Amino acid sequence: MTEPLASLLTALDLTDTGARTSEDIFTGPSQWMPLGRVFGGQVLAQSIMAATRTVDAERSIHSMHGYFLRPGDVNFPITFSVDRIHDGRSFSTRRTQAYQNGLPILSMIASFQTEDEGLEHQDAMPDGLPEPESLPSTASTLEDVQHPVAQYWASQRPFDMRHVSSPLYLSVEGDRVAHQAVWFRTLGDMPDDPGLHRAALAYASDYTIMESVLRRHGIAWATPGLKAASLDHAMWWHRPARVDEWLLYVQESPTASGGRGLSQGRIFTREGLLVASVAQEATIRLPHPED
């Protein structure tokens, strides 16, 4: 197992404090990040794992809506408080609050469902895209860039990310369009725990979803003065999937205004099965010309 993947699994293995008042309390570590702010996908995934720990095993998360309230600090652990809002015959609802130093950094509500049968249909996966093996990895793209963020992206993230066209790390190549696609999978095998795979999928969903906004305006991550932060994140799990197998993340941005950009994404298995949908709004700011 790679060190980054081991770090992910450690972060998602929350500690149950044993405290039982009106809520369930868990704690988890913060993964190191070069700029000192906790990765939003990490807090999402941990909040999902905390909620999952309070639900019957036969019920799987099918939707979540979360708001990022404050940036997290990588130097401190995170406390997760889970409120068991409702348990019905088929669905369970949970609210998770993530805290550092007594202040909330994320508020999330999630719904879980017992597996059921019903109507079936889905959008088709885009065809004609290159296979992931034919595309360069982030590691090969950034390995020679001597910058802490570039080195972290190249060697310390637990997922292998491969842009179908070209990445936005240093520059934006090609047309300025509000859509893109990315292949991804973990850097190694994951345990056979469906709940863990769903949480890890949420973790990875936060990596590139904002890039459809940036690509539309020709903005690379390395743009001087760029300030971008996720405001909220919503996700729907449609079907089971393994994150240690290649998944295609198709993304688009329908609008940007008021210093905010909206991105939407769909995640497919290599065989074309639609397994999840994602939506996120982010604040994106560039320095004024006079700054």
Side-chain angles (χ1 to χ4, degrees), residues 4 11 31 46 72 100 103 115 127 223 258 267:
Q31 294 178 291
Q46 289 175 313
Q100 276 190 328
L103 296 175
E115 186 175 352
D127 56 10
T223 301
I267 302 175

Side-chain angles (χ1 to χ4, degrees), residues 47-179:
S47 297
I48 290 168
M49 289 302 297
T52 301
R53 296 272 290 272
T54 70
V55 177
D56 291 343
E58 69 271 12
R59 295 191 175 184
S60 299
I61 187 169
H62 71 89
S63 69
M64 62 77 57
H65 302 260
Y67 282 90
F68 297 99
L69 305 176
R70 293 176 177 84
D73 188 332
V74 299
N75 296 300
F76 298 97
I78 305 173
T79 298
F80 300 90
S81 173
V82 181
D83 182 6
R84 304 189 184 203
I85 296 177
H86 177 70
D87 286 299
R89 296 199 317 180
S90 300
F91 291 87
S92 294
T93 308
R94 297 291 185 266
R95 180 187 295 115
T96 304
Q97 302 270 65
Y99 294 90
Q100 276 190 328
N101 298 320
L103 296 175
I105 63 173
L106 176 81
S107 181
M108 182 199 80
I109 191 165
S111 181
F112 297 75
Q113 181 190 17
T114 304
E115 186 175 352
D116 201 356
E117 296 182 353
L119 302 176
E120 285 275 349
H121 78 272
Q122 67 159 74
D123 283 349
M125 183 174 75
D127 56 10
L129 298 181
E131 298 297 325
E133 292 85 358
S134 69
L135 299 169
S137 66
T138 300
S140 64
T141 302
L142 295 177
E143 60 184 353
D144 295 328
V145 180
Q146 299 304 311
H147 186 281
V149 175
Q151 287 299 300
Y152 173 82
W153 284 357
S155 62
Q156 295 302 309
R157 295 199 293 189
F159 284 85
D160 185 351
M161 314 290 295
R162 305 193 178 198
H163 287 73
V164 168
S165 53
S166 61
L168 277 66
Y169 304 127
L170 306 176
S171 62
V172 181
E173 301 175 6
D175 296 335
R176 295 187 176 186
V177 294
H179 58 83

Side-chain angles (χ1 to χ4, degrees), residues 159 185-186 188-192 197 242-247:
F159 284 85
R185 70 176 179 185
T186 55
D189 295 334
M190 289 275 289
D192 295 327
H197 282 263
R242 294 189 64 93
V243 294
D244 51 8
E245 298 176 354
W246 284 115
L247 298 168

